[in-house]
Amino acid sequence: MGKSILITGGVRSGKSRLAERMTLALGSPAIYIATAEAHDAEMTERIARHRARRGPEWHTISEPTKLVQALQDSDGDAPRLVDCLTLWLSNLMLAEQDWQGDAEALAAILPEQRAPVVFVTNEVGAGIVPENALARAFRDAAGLVNQTIAAASDELWLSVAGYPLKVK
């Protein structure tokens, strides 16, 4: 069985860099499963910066919604990094897909994975209560997805201001 690791934290807390280091420590080359979609110029630039930072030891798979299938298809010897679960959740919610069923299916396949997988997610519920229903639904859903994947993962890390803290 491959190790599964969930890394959470706030915006710009160092989650992605920590996840990249941890994934490469598990083996190289590695697979980067990107869930982001570039719907505007700012996101296009953000994705480009992430790609440029990673370097040649990464193979990128772009998969905004079918994460379970992407993990099954990429399972083998190379460690995988999924960045990030909250963007995946956002994509599922906007497509009006069954995000709860997809999160449960994701948790269910983790014990079957041969190669390690590292997940990045955002801790979104630590701030103020959002003023609109969609934002509140997203915040609540993100908390539930994080709990589901944390329970199924071998390790849980919290990144705070660039410093990692092992939780589980």
Side-chain angles (χ1 to χ4, degrees), residues 45-66:
E45 176 59 29
R46 184 180 292 253
I47 290 169
R49 282 193 313 267
H50 264 250
R51 280 183 184 254
R53 182 180 74 217
R54 285 196 300 268
E57 60 270 0
W58 292 93
H59 169 71
T60 301
I61 298 171
S62 295
E63 183 45 66
T65 59
K66 295 177 178 69

Side-chain angles (χ1 to χ4, degrees), residues 81-102:
L81 167 57
V82 175
D83 197 355
C84 79
L85 290 179
T86 41
L87 283 173
W88 172 67
L89 171 63
S90 179
N91 296 337
L92 292 173
M93 290 180 77
L94 291 174
E96 298 182 356
Q97 293 185 16
D98 178 16
W99 62 265
Q100 289 173 308
D102 284 354

Side-chain angles (χ1 to χ4, degrees), residues 2 28 39 41 72 87 100 110 124 128 130 144 146 148-149 151 167:
S28 181
H39 293 294
Q72 289 172 328
L87 283 173
Q100 289 173 308
L110 289 183
V124 298
I128 62 171
L144 293 172
N146 288 349
T148 299
I149 304 308
V167 178

Side-chain angles (χ1 to χ4, degrees), residues 2-5 19-33 54 57-61 70-71 74-83 113-119:
K3 178 188 267 191
S4 55
I5 301 169
E20 290 165 8
R21 286 192 311 268
M22 289 178 101
T23 303
L24 288 176
L26 295 168
S28 181
I31 298 170
Y32 189 100
I33 301 175
R54 285 196 300 268
E57 60 270 0
W58 292 93
H59 169 71
T60 301
I61 298 171
L71 285 171
S74 65
D75 197 13
D77 296 326
R80 283 87 38 91
L81 167 57
V82 175
D83 197 355
Q113 297 294 292
R114 294 182 316 273
V117 60
V118 177
F119 296 98

Side-chain angles (χ1 to χ4, degrees), residues 3 6 10 29 44 50 60 77 104 123 132 136-137 163 165:
K3 178 188 267 191
L6 176 65
T44 300
H50 264 250
T60 301
D77 296 326
E104 290 167 8
E123 199 59 42
N132 69 74
R136 286 188 299 275
Y163 288 88
L165 174 65

